[in-house]
Amino acid sequence: MSSCCPTEVLPNADATYEAKFDNVYIAGMGNKKGLVFCGDIFGPHPNTFQVADTLAAKGFLVVIPDFFRGKHWPLTRFPPEGGFTNPEFQSYLGSLTYDRLKERFEQAVAILKGCGAESIGGAGFCWGAGQVARALEEGLISSGAFVHASFCTPELMEKASGPVCLCPTKDDGEQLDLKEAAEKSGHKVVYHYYEDVHHGFCAARANFEDETNVKRTNECLEVLATFFNESM
């Protein structure tokens, strides 16, 4: 019987080729209700995958697009040096426009359809909420959930083409302007305010060693599951 790699030639440790692929995360194969999961600017993170896996366990087919292709903002540099007005940080945020990244959202929708999704919604967390809001405005998805949302405006909420779920925290404020605008769209609006957890509690900046954070995350994901089951 041959052994693995029967050669004395060592792998080339100095190879410099950079792979040209999208690092898309998929969870919940076989489920028929699809979700485009748009996280925060910190890109691939264990907390993000944990939240996605929890939604998958609740019966959803979840796809996290590769918006950043390795160029996410590192948690080790957050908050940015000098504060949020840091020019490099502002330039980075300014580069993450929906128009530039739309094809990656559309790719996620295509993957969901290819994997058997019969209906598709979007779940946006922090920065990702803005991407979901634009996609819902355009009708790429049938409903949208916005957890500790950033980059959402009343104008976008008023243009929602389907049901909306808003889950702000104490750091976001109650975001009643977004709620009232979403209600003007004529679609169902679900609203839950989390007054005892921080912005990011359900994404990369979550502390899943903290009892309150874990409790509120579980509550929030149950709210999302109910919302999507009723709206898709």
Side-chain angles (χ1 to χ4, degrees), residues 17 21-22 30 59 94 96 106 117 132 139 148 198 204 206 212-213 215 219:
Y17 179 78
F21 63 88
D22 290 326
L96 301 176
E106 292 174 325
V132 171
H148 42 75
H198 62 280
T212 300
N213 196 144
K215 182 179 181 181
E219 290 174 354

Side-chain angles (χ1 to χ4, degrees), residues 4-5 13 38-39 42 56 62 81 85 103 114-115 139 145 148 153 170 195 207-208:
C4 176
C5 306
C38 299
F42 306 112
V62 183
E81 183 179 356
T85 58
E103 66 179 38
C115 290
H148 42 75
T153 64
K170 62 179 182 179
E195 62 182 2
N207 177 8
F208 291 146

Side-chain angles (χ1 to χ4, degrees), residues 39-57:
D40 48 34
I41 61 171
F42 306 112
H45 189 278
N47 288 350
T48 303
F49 299 141
Q50 183 173 343
V51 172
D53 288 348
T54 302
L55 288 170

Side-chain angles (χ1 to χ4, degrees), residues 51-69:
V51 172
D53 288 348
T54 302
L55 288 170
K58 293 181 181 295
F60 299 96
L61 173 59
V62 183
V63 169
I64 305 178
D66 188 4
F67 286 117
F68 308 105
R69 294 180 177 168

